Amino acid sequence: MNGSIRIIGGKWRGRKMAVLDKQGLRPTTDRVKETLYNWLMPVIYDSECLDCFSGSGSLGFEAASRGAKSVILLEKDKQVAQLLNKNKQLIACDAIEIHHTNTLIWLNQPAQKQFDIVFIDPPFHQSLVAQTVNQLENNNWLKSSAYIYIEAEKDHELMSYIPTNWQLHREKTVGQVHSYLFIREEN
């Protein structure tokens, strides 16, 4: 273990969880997380969430702490996925499900369920956001009024591939990170 994240609200507020120090792993800062969960406050309780590139688990564990009905975390790195499972056991949360998988492969199948809220916060500079957005929309993973949160590097040309039925609800830049919250509208 090389660090920790902190749950900032809800049932496990103040609880720290171990995080591995791995290249490409950027836990969402408390400041950005607080802004995001202020945006999601009206819709987080009893929602079904998908954390596409869970990494530290910061966004997914926060959602569960704030009353999400279910949270699926997808993580490609085996060691990181194992640590997410240990953190899940520490808080004994049945609402969290962790899959050690490649997100793009997982999403490239017909949807087994649809989600109210999706978090897309992949490693930067790897062109993962566009493919993820495309698969979420085309493979029917999103409920008609889903909220989609995207965290990308500040200079990322995001709007060029966002589906026309995704309306930008909120956005904010903090340092080198640009955060977007979209609401999906039925075509």
Side-chain angles (χ1 to χ4, degrees):
M1 303 326 124
N2 300 76
S4 63
I5 57 162
R6 186 172 61 93
I7 296 176
I8 60 171
K11 184 176 182 178
W12 300 295
R13 181 184 181 159
R15 179 60 104 15
K16 288 190 175 186
M17 302 183 134
V19 177
L20 291 175
D21 184 14
K22 288 229 167 203
Q23 186 171 348
L25 196 64
R26 295 172 297 95
T28 300
T29 65
D30 285 358
R31 182 173 162 200
V32 171
K33 207 167 22 174
E34 186 169 351
T35 298
L36 169 61
Y37 280 93
N38 284 340
W39 294 345
L40 291 176
M41 193 181 308
V43 295
I44 193 68
Y45 185 78
D46 218 23
S47 63
E48 298 199 63
C49 302
L50 174 64
D51 189 351
C52 291
F53 301 89
S54 57
S56 68
S58 181
L59 297 175
F61 281 102
E62 191 74 37
S65 182
R66 292 172 183 250
K69 181 181 3 180
S70 74
V71 184
I72 293 178
L73 284 76
L74 306 178
E75 177 51 49
K76 185 177 176 180
D77 185 286
K78 186 176 183 177
Q79 287 180 303
V80 174
Q82 288 171 337
L83 185 56
L84 289 170
N85 271 306
K86 284 182 185 170
N87 285 337
K88 174 190 168 180
Q89 289 168 357
L90 282 175
I91 59 171
C93 179
D94 292 335
I96 295 174
E97 194 178 305
I98 297 160
H99 294 271
H100 170 230
T101 186
N102 179 314
T103 295
L104 298 178
I105 292 170
W106 198 85
L107 290 174
N108 197 29
Q109 60 182 323
Q112 289 92 41
K113 70 187 293 184
Q114 293 182 312
F115 295 95
D116 300 298
I117 300 171
V118 176
F119 303 104
I120 305 171
D121 180 14
F124 284 176
H125 308 293
Q126 293 187 21
S127 305
L128 294 167
V129 177
Q131 294 173 72
T132 305
V133 165
N134 185 40
Q135 289 180 345
L136 284 166
E137 186 63 35
N138 294 336
N139 295 332
N140 205 27
W141 289 102
L142 302 170
K143 290 188 180 173
S144 59
S145 56
Y147 282 70
I148 304 99
Y149 172 73
I150 300 174
E151 212 172 281
E153 55 272 24
K154 193 165 69 172
D155 56 355
H156 190 85
E157 294 295 326
L158 182 79
M159 299 310 278
S160 63
Y161 55 79
I162 293 296
T164 56
N165 62 324
W166 289 22
Q167 300 304 311
L168 182 61
H169 181 59
R170 299 267 196 272
E171 67 179 311
K172 185 173 184 170
T173 302
V174 177
Q176 295 302 308
V177 176
H178 199 104
S179 302
Y180 305 84
L181 184 62
F182 294 91
I183 300 177
R184 181 179 187 269
E185 296 175 351
E186 197 58 68
N187 280 333

